[in-house]
Amino acid sequence: MSNIVAIVGRPNVGKSTFFNRLIQRREAIVDAVSGVTRDRHYGKSDWNGKEFSLIDTGGYVLGSDDVFEAEIDKQVELAIDEADAIIFMVDVENGVTGMDEDVANLLRKVSKPVFLVVNKVDNAKRSEDAVEFYSLGLGEYYNIASINGSGTGDLLDALVEALPEKEEVVEEELPRFAVVGRPNAGKSSFINALIGEDRYIVTDIAGTTRDSIDTKYNRFGFEFNLVDTAGIRRKAKVKEDLEFYSVMRSVRAIEHADVCLLVLDATRGFDGQVQNIFWLAERNRKGIVILVNKWDLVEKDHKSMKAYEKAIRKQIEPFIDVPIIFISVLSKQRIFKAIETAVEVYKNRSKKIKTSQLNDVLLPIIESYPPPAYKAKFVKIKYIMQLPTPQPQFAFFCNLPQYVKDPYKRFLENKLREHFDFTGVPISVYMRKK
């Protein structure tokens, strides 16, 4: 489980610039997704060997200061609830503002690590000016210039030192199926429909994150934890920022899941936010099942389902080997088919292929369709093995791994999928020096 660090503050203090600089400068960054909700950003980063998730809460530019202050307070409160540490960014050019004081008033009440960061400090004069931020009552501060990265190393050293150690929960090592998606897609209703009809529920367990509930569930002779991320707590606080809140919950749920059941509203389609949650799951190498809910509300003919499915697969290229199931939680249509499919995807994700079988199947194909020559040099793949990792990863040993390009790796992945069932599971292909 990685820690979550939230960057908060009023607009135009350089939060996004700071976030983007971290994404660009760290080789260990896994991914960055922008545009999830307005100008929200999510990134996964590593500093000094410690991994953490970074949330840029952004800032609204609304018509009046009064409306804005209500929105920024809401953003900060959400960040405080979800984050393990908070970076509070202010701007030395403008000095201490009323909005800075409002945010500081909220942060002084929390017991989590708070890092006061004074941005745009790029000369000695501004370093002296930054002293006034002691008046916010948050103790020591860090001077940085996000535009050129000055001071960020010291800040990140202190940040990772203060992050709490995350213990892996090893209660029963049951598989975890997370139900994720944007608000109002039917996630809670889906789980309630399962729980209400099935009599194999054993017990409810408090989740490892405060907004998920794990339900131990037994179906098709297979026991697993079903994780609800549907926003159980303090809904009144969320209001217009449901998107931001749901992404933070989804980030945690996806990181801990084995399989993600991505629920979308058929009347809204596979929109930008749903796509971003899909790619978060894919980049975290989780099994994925797409559930198109409220299918009963869509006007359709005999071709509608195929057309809808084709449109989704177009959006998720090149990872199109994903089950798509059309359900109606209201009528309980295909909800158990969804669980049965998730179990199959979990088994695919944990599947191990014998080395001898891999080589017997794939080496003749590779011999018939070898990698393209590069600079008159020929790549010869000699040996294949599956790596001992929780998700499918394969090493292809060859003489010139640096000359094997992505199109050929996708060819190898397609052949793996063609001969061994990895439906719903991202596959990693690595070229290694023989």
Side-chain angles (χ1 to χ4, degrees):
M1 180 194 306
S2 65
N3 292 280
I4 285 185
V5 178
I7 309 173
V8 301
R10 58 184 176 79
N12 304 319
V13 295
K15 299 186 302 297
S16 294
T17 306
F18 174 68
F19 173 90
N20 290 335
R21 174 156 290 279
L22 289 187
I23 295 299
Q24 292 164 5
R25 69 180 293 182
R26 296 303 301 160
E27 292 181 0
I29 293 296
V30 177
D31 67 288
V33 180
S34 63
V36 177
T37 64
R38 300 178 190 173
D39 59 348
R40 307 297 182 274
H41 300 77
Y42 161 73
K44 201 170 183 182
S45 181
D46 180 284
W47 185 265
N48 289 347
K50 193 160 187 177
E51 188 179 83
F52 57 92
S53 298
L54 196 64
I55 303 283
D56 172 15
T57 59
Y60 295 112
V61 181
L62 298 182
S64 76
D65 287 345
D66 289 339
V67 176
F68 169 76
E69 286 179 21
E71 293 295 332
I72 194 64
D73 284 352
K74 196 184 326 178
Q75 285 287 321
V76 173
E77 288 177 26
L78 291 176
I80 289 170
D81 282 345
E82 290 300 308
D84 298 294
I86 299 152
I87 292 175
F88 172 29
M89 189 166 285
V90 292
D91 176 358
V92 73
E93 288 183 350
N94 294 322
V96 177
T97 69
M99 280 187 247
D100 292 334
E101 290 174 345
D102 288 342
V103 176
N105 287 338
L106 288 169
L107 294 178
R108 280 198 297 270
K109 299 172 186 174
V110 306
S111 55
K112 299 175 182 180
V114 176
F115 295 85
L116 176 60
V117 176
V118 185
N119 193 21
K120 306 181 186 177
V121 181
D122 52 9
N123 58 50
K125 173 67 170 66
R126 289 187 171 184
S127 184
E128 293 174 6
D129 293 342
V131 173
E132 72 167 301
F133 289 97
Y134 273 123
S135 67
L136 293 175
L138 294 171
E140 294 294 328
Y141 58 86
Y142 292 83
N143 288 337
I144 72 163
S146 60
I147 198 163
N148 61 25
S150 171
T152 55
D154 291 340
L155 167 63
L156 291 173
D157 285 344
L159 174 67
V160 297
E161 182 69 26
L163 288 175
E165 291 296 328
K166 290 286 187 177
E167 294 182 5
E168 293 297 326
V169 179
V170 232
E171 288 178 3
E172 294 182 59
E173 292 293 337
L174 288 179
R176 291 171 63 85
F177 293 0
V179 182
V180 297
R182 66 174 300 153
N184 303 319
K187 300 184 296 296
S188 286
S189 301
F190 173 71
I191 290 180
N192 288 339
L194 291 170
I195 292 172
E197 183 167 324
D198 195 275
R199 296 185 181 182
Y200 294 100
I201 299 298
V202 181
T203 182
D204 286 338
I205 309 166
T208 56
T209 60
R210 289 165 298 174
D211 287 293
S212 68
I213 300 278
D214 284 16
T215 301
K216 196 181 291 184
Y217 195 87
N218 193 317
R219 189 77 187 178
F220 308 110
F222 187 84
E223 193 171 38
F224 55 92
N225 280 327
L226 194 61
V227 184
D228 180 10
T229 64
I232 299 154
R233 185 170 56 97
R234 288 190 278 184
K235 289 184 181 178
K237 189 191 265 190
V238 181
K239 295 182 182 174
E240 294 87 352
D241 278 326
L242 273 169
E243 290 86 357
F244 172 64
Y245 201 45
S246 70
V247 167
M248 295 188 83
R249 287 196 310 273
S250 297
V251 167
R252 285 192 185 272
I254 287 169
E255 287 180 346
H256 303 130
D258 296 295
V259 176
C260 297
L261 292 100
L262 176 55
V263 181
L264 65 99
D265 183 339
T267 63
R268 300 187 67 163
F270 197 70
D271 62 18
Q273 186 175 337
V274 178
Q275 289 175 41
N276 276 307
I277 295 173
F278 174 88
W279 290 115
L280 285 179
E282 190 274 340
R283 288 184 180 97
N284 279 277
R285 319 313 280 169
K286 307 300 182 182
I288 304 172
V289 180
I290 297 174
L291 305 182
V292 183
N293 188 26
K294 306 183 186 180
W295 188 239
D296 52 320
L297 302 181
V298 175
E299 290 186 20
K300 49 191 173 290
D301 55 30
H302 64 289
K303 297 180 180 177
S304 299
M305 189 177 289
K306 283 189 177 178
Y308 204 106
E309 182 176 329
K310 184 178 179 182
I312 292 176
R313 294 200 189 280
K314 182 70 178 169
Q315 298 280 7
I316 62 176
E317 289 178 342
F319 180 36
I320 59 171
D321 189 15
V322 178
I324 300 174
I325 302 174
F326 294 81
I327 67 171
S328 169
V329 169
L330 198 62
S331 63
K332 296 184 169 61
Q333 182 183 29
R334 300 190 192 94
I335 62 171
F336 294 108
K337 173 67 174 174
I339 292 298
E340 184 180 13
T341 304
V343 171
E344 291 170 2
V345 168
Y346 173 80
K347 291 177 179 177
N348 290 344
R349 187 172 184 262
S350 50
K351 182 181 296 182
K352 304 298 178 188
I353 311 296
K354 290 181 179 178
T355 301
S356 58
Q357 189 179 3
L358 272 175
N359 286 271
D360 289 345
V361 170
L362 292 180
L363 284 181
I365 296 171
I366 293 168
E367 191 173 339
S368 300
Y369 301 96
Y374 185 78
K375 294 182 178 178
K377 294 183 179 179
F378 294 90
V379 179
K380 296 195 178 297
I381 297 174
K382 308 279 188 174
Y383 180 74
I384 311 150
M385 67 175 290
Q386 183 173 359
L387 300 175
T389 53
Q391 63 277 352
Q393 297 185 338
F394 296 89
F396 289 73
F397 293 89
C398 60
N399 58 334
L400 298 166
Q402 68 273 25
Y403 293 151
V404 181
K405 305 304 179 186
D406 286 343
Y408 193 77
K409 290 180 183 177
R410 283 196 291 272
F411 167 77
L412 295 175
E413 178 183 337
N414 290 336
K415 291 303 173 185
L416 283 164
R417 293 187 183 281
E418 189 179 312
H419 290 86
F420 310 101
D421 185 6
F422 286 108
T423 300
V425 184
I427 292 176
S428 301
V429 170
Y430 300 102
M431 309 309 297
R432 294 286 182 263
K433 180 77 174 173
K434 173 64 177 172

